[in-house]
Amino acid sequence: MTHTIRTIAIDGPAGAGKSTVAQALAQKLGFLYFDTGVMYRAVALAALRRGISLQNEPALAALANDIFIEVLPPTVADGRQYTVLLDGEDVTWALRQPEVDASVSVVSAYAPVRQAMVAQQRRIAQRGNVVMVGRDIGTVVMPDADVKIYLDASVEARALRRYRELRLRNVEVTYEEVLASMRARDELDRTRAVTPLRPADDAFIVDNTDMDAEDTLDYILNLIERVNQAHLAA
Ligand code: DC
């Protein structure tokens, strides 16, 4: 089967299952899987560690341009999807701390922080054969992506998934806390002035509230095949 698809953009709110489906897709297609959320998380973690106030936009902008973020294939077999180095240090799990969850939406709302991250993401996108995941991939980073998917689910379903993930890693947290944090993050991501979370006009909107990971993957593979067939027929 000839494949005409080289770039796939997956956007949507936290906990919609973007990373699970993107990793499986990338594996199936032999593409690079790139989760742009880790870049914003790395800036947030660096800010927390250096004691930079989340209100200090100029300092956060300077930080975003100063730190060196690398995303590599997993270097440890501990369930991670990739390894993230922040100035050479393995911060893969540190990026998932609730403190980072609570501050990343603030950090990622600043235009200069986004500019620094988007420039790096576009360089990766240009190489093609990539499944890129985030909030603005279809609208800003890869507006010409061959397939754009906007993955969504109810906030309760997303909070439950995130809660289970955290409990599996023995993070002390209640479902109510996760739900409240998810609602707050949704609000910030959707209402921020600079490139708020929204589906691209030509995105396929997939609501997987009542689908498991396998069903979601099948559904999206089907969509991709339909786009491929349409390209071939054109
Ligand atoms: O996908 P995630 O939960 O790891 O993303 C962390 C935060 O980063 C999220 O609150 C919104 C922000 N983000 C963004 O603004 N743009 C992206 N392309 C990816 C993530």
Side-chain angles (χ1 to χ4, degrees), residues 43 47 52-65 107 110 113:
V43 180
I52 298 174
S53 157
L54 297 182
Q55 270 62 54
N56 192 343
E57 178 172 345
L60 292 168
L63 181 68
N65 285 293
V107 170
Y110 292 123
V113 172

Side-chain angles (χ1 to χ4, degrees), residues 10-15 18-19 35-41 82 95-96 100-101 103-109 114 117-118 121 132-137 141 162 185-186 188-189 192 194-195 197:
I10 304 186
D11 292 298
K18 302 183 297 292
S19 50
D35 176 5
T36 59
V38 300
M39 300 183 70
Y40 295 97
R41 285 174 180 272
Y82 37 66
L95 296 180
R96 301 289 152 192
V100 173
D101 278 350
S103 47
V104 64
S105 287
V106 179
V107 170
S108 63
R114 302 200 67 80
M117 300 296 113
V118 167
Q121 292 157 14
M132 200 172 276
V133 172
R135 302 292 189 288
D136 59 342
I137 309 304
V141 180
R162 187 52 56 88
R185 208 132 74 84
D186 279 2
L188 283 167
D189 291 348
R192 69 177 177 225
V194 197
T195 58
L197 170 66

